[in-house]
Amino acid sequence: MPSANNTSTVFAAAGAAAAGVNDHWPAIVASSVFIAFTLIAQYFFKVDPLAGIPVVGQGGKGSRRRQFVKQGGAWKLYREGYEKFKDGLFRITTARETESIIVSPKFLGELRKLPDDVLSFSASVTESLQSKYTGVKADLPHVTETVKSSLTPALPRLNLEIHREVVDSMRLELPQSSTWTDINLNSKLLRIVAMASGRVFVGPELCRDEGYLDAAINYTIDLMIAVHVVAFMPVWLRPILGPIIPPVRKLHRRVKEADEFLRPVVTARREAEQLPGYKKPDDMLQWIMNSQEKFGLKDDKELALNQLGISFAAIHTTTMTTTNSLYTLAAMPEVVPMLREDVEQALAGSDGVFTSLAMQNMKKLDSFLREVLRYYPISTSSFQRKVLKPFTLSNGTTIPAGIIIEIPAAGVSGDPSIFPDPEVFDALRFYKLRQSKSEANSGIKAAETVANSQFVSVSASSLTFGYGKHACPGRFFAANEIKMIMATILLHYDIKLPDGVTERYPNLQMGAQSLPDPKKLISIRKREDAAA
Ligand code: HEM
């Protein structure tokens, strides 16, 4: 409450101010008019920093956004942009608030050198996941570091365990009868991939636990639902409703549940550490526990968040790629004998054991899988980064802060000047490239061609796994897991399209993504001459 003294001071000050205004009102009016005019002029005459970059799509922003979100619309826009401006830049209005500039891959060399405070991977993911409202932390640098420094180097010693889990989970999930049975392949693969990945992510105690499997498979789906619901809200309503809508609250429950199933395992491991001769498990959960202090993860709840983060990055991406591959294989029975022989030959050199070398030697299978990535790109764009500070490209174009840049990955995959006859699915395209180039060239050039033509390749023409320092660190693990599943199918099962289906199932295009139709059936039977 103001005192009487204070009150009179306030009145005195107000009186003085009023007298001042009376004295100076012409000047005040003049400067107000000037400020208003400047603001209006700035609005109408301001130089749009993106003005020089052509726009793809018809009409204003709202209409272009509608073209983007309608079925197949985004793919059409990116294709049109690539055909017209493939060596330069073009603009697209996506479902996000921020405008996207699509940049030719020829600039990748210079883009990759820009630091994270100029071109940010995590700011782009944060925006895509609506993290402000969903509360999902997009930036989990210790997951990336652990995949790079612990998981990938561990693959040669873990392959045996992973393969065992692949075979066991396939026995559990797939029909074991020698008569043809129709199955929903995608849902089976989700569980197989979650179990085999779980063997490495959370260890043998949990990898077949239904609570873990539910989280590993469905957290991603719940997150995508929450992101979509938020994206459809008016921007002003998001801060008010975003954090409390049921799909977002479900995500919080998921974290709590993951914490509940992980904690007993974490506690048991900590207690066991006190016992003499205890050998720590060799899995992601343990590697992160070992580095908890270094990473500053004080609360064990962070372990749950990390597990959900890695499931998000790994399970659906690997499953979609395997489903794409098996839908293709089922529609191309003519390539089966050749791939089967490739797998048998590679395994003959390792007494049937799935060593890293044996999987590297499955070169025709690798080529088939690489062609699946090219022919069925899971996203029309790659290398999405948010621009935090303006920078200038070598062609003189300045890219302003606050927008997203992307590389047109699907345009590249379908470009006849890069891949001759791109409309043909050629299972041996990359195998032939590796063979012919390594015969024609020698030394560094041959090594480069071999490195650019593999499933795990990352280059200006291989963009499935991104590019630069944030390129997917999990691709080596994914490659091994997918090869193990494909090889096991080739050796121990027959697959085909169900009776009456004559063509490979078309993929579904949703926004910038393309996914194998998860509802489709595939016929499968156990091979009589093979014992898994
Ligand atoms: C076929 C399966 C997969 C595909 C297609 C895929 C694709 C991608 C892509 C496109 C990116 C962004 C790269 C960029 O923008 O430059 C990425 C990042 C990432 N991926 Fe994968 N991924 C797959 C499997 C996996 C697996 C199995 C793991 C874990 C074991 C994993 C862990 C990660 C992580 C941690 C990042 C973030 C990298 C960073 O923070 O720098 N991914 N992935």
Side-chain angles (χ1 to χ4, degrees), residues 64 66 70 116 125 163 283 313 381 427 473 497 518:
R64 296 206 302 270
R66 282 193 294 281
K70 81 172 184 209
D116 283 3
V125 181
H163 178 245
D283 55 41
S381 84
L497 296 174

Side-chain angles (χ1 to χ4, degrees), residues 462-473:
S462 316
L463 292 158
T464 306
F465 296 107
Y467 189 84
K469 53 181 165 295
H470 293 287
C472 175

Side-chain angles (χ1 to χ4, degrees), residues 95-114:
R96 278 192 289 229
E97 287 163 36
T98 310
E99 190 104 11
S100 275
I101 295 184
I102 321 301
V103 181
S104 164
K106 75 178 193 191
F107 295 105
L108 273 170
E110 54 197 271
L111 292 174
R112 70 175 297 169
K113 292 186 193 137
L114 295 172

Side-chain angles (χ1 to χ4, degrees), residues 152-339:
T152 305
L155 289 177
R157 68 171 190 271
L158 290 182
N159 278 330
L160 201 66
E161 286 298 310
I162 304 169
H163 178 245
R164 201 168 289 152
E165 193 58 43
V166 165
V167 171
D168 286 352
S169 59
M170 286 173 86
R171 252 196 228 121
L172 286 172
E173 295 298 321
L174 299 180
Q176 298 300 299
S177 154
S178 56
T179 52
W180 289 107
T181 312
D182 290 353
I183 56 162
N184 177 295
L185 183 71
N186 192 69
S187 64
K188 298 290 182 193
L189 284 175
L190 270 171
R191 287 178 63 84
I192 292 165
V193 168
M195 286 185 214
S197 310
R199 176 65 190 77
V200 173
F201 296 168
V202 286
E205 304 103 311
L206 282 176
C207 70
R208 293 192 203 162
D209 174 274
E210 285 301 328
Y212 158 73
L213 290 173
D214 178 36
I217 295 169
N218 293 318
Y219 173 71
T220 303
I221 297 172
D222 290 341
L223 175 53
M224 286 298 113
I225 292 172
V227 165
H228 270 83
V229 175
V230 172
F232 274 98
M233 280 181 192
V235 177
W236 63 267
L237 201 59
R238 292 179 189 178
I240 305 162
L241 283 190
I244 55 167
I245 52 171
V248 168
R249 293 222 305 270
K250 190 161 181 201
L251 294 178
H252 299 316
R253 277 207 304 282
R254 285 263 176 224
V255 177
K256 198 167 159 276
E257 284 161 15
D259 189 28
E260 279 163 11
F261 68 68
L262 276 182
R263 233 170 245 259
V265 176
V266 171
T267 310
R269 287 185 181 192
R270 290 224 179 95
E271 283 167 10
E273 270 175 34
Q274 312 307 319
L275 303 172
Y278 172 70
K279 201 165 161 278
K280 284 183 180 179
D282 200 7
D283 55 41
M284 190 96 184
L285 175 63
Q286 187 66 46
W287 301 326
I288 297 185
M289 281 169 67
N290 295 346
S291 305
Q292 246 177 305
E293 238 179 74
K294 181 179 122 194
F295 291 147
L297 306 176
K298 291 196 188 82
D299 187 343
D300 279 349
K301 200 172 161 194
E302 299 274 354
L303 296 171
L305 285 169
N306 284 315
Q307 282 301 331
L308 293 172
I310 191 136
S311 293
F312 175 73
I315 306 299
H316 284 261
T317 46
T318 305
T319 302
M320 279 197 294
T321 306
T322 318
T323 307
N324 265 335
S325 305
L326 286 171
Y327 279 180
T328 309
L329 193 67
M332 297 186 81
E334 68 280 10
V335 303
V336 171
M338 182 256 296
L339 294 181

Side-chain angles (χ1 to χ4, degrees), residues 121 139-140 143-144 147-148 151 201 310 313-314 317-318 321 373 378 382-385 455 463-475 477-478 481-482:
F121 170 74
D139 195 15
L140 297 171
V143 169
T144 301
V147 174
K148 279 185 187 163
L151 173 57
F201 296 168
I310 191 136
T317 46
T318 305
T321 306
L373 295 183
I378 57 178
S382 178
F383 192 77
Q384 296 191 352
R385 304 288 185 264
F455 179 78
L463 292 158
T464 306
F465 296 107
Y467 189 84
K469 53 181 165 295
H470 293 287
C472 175
R475 64 192 192 276
F477 173 64
E481 204 174 54
I482 294 169

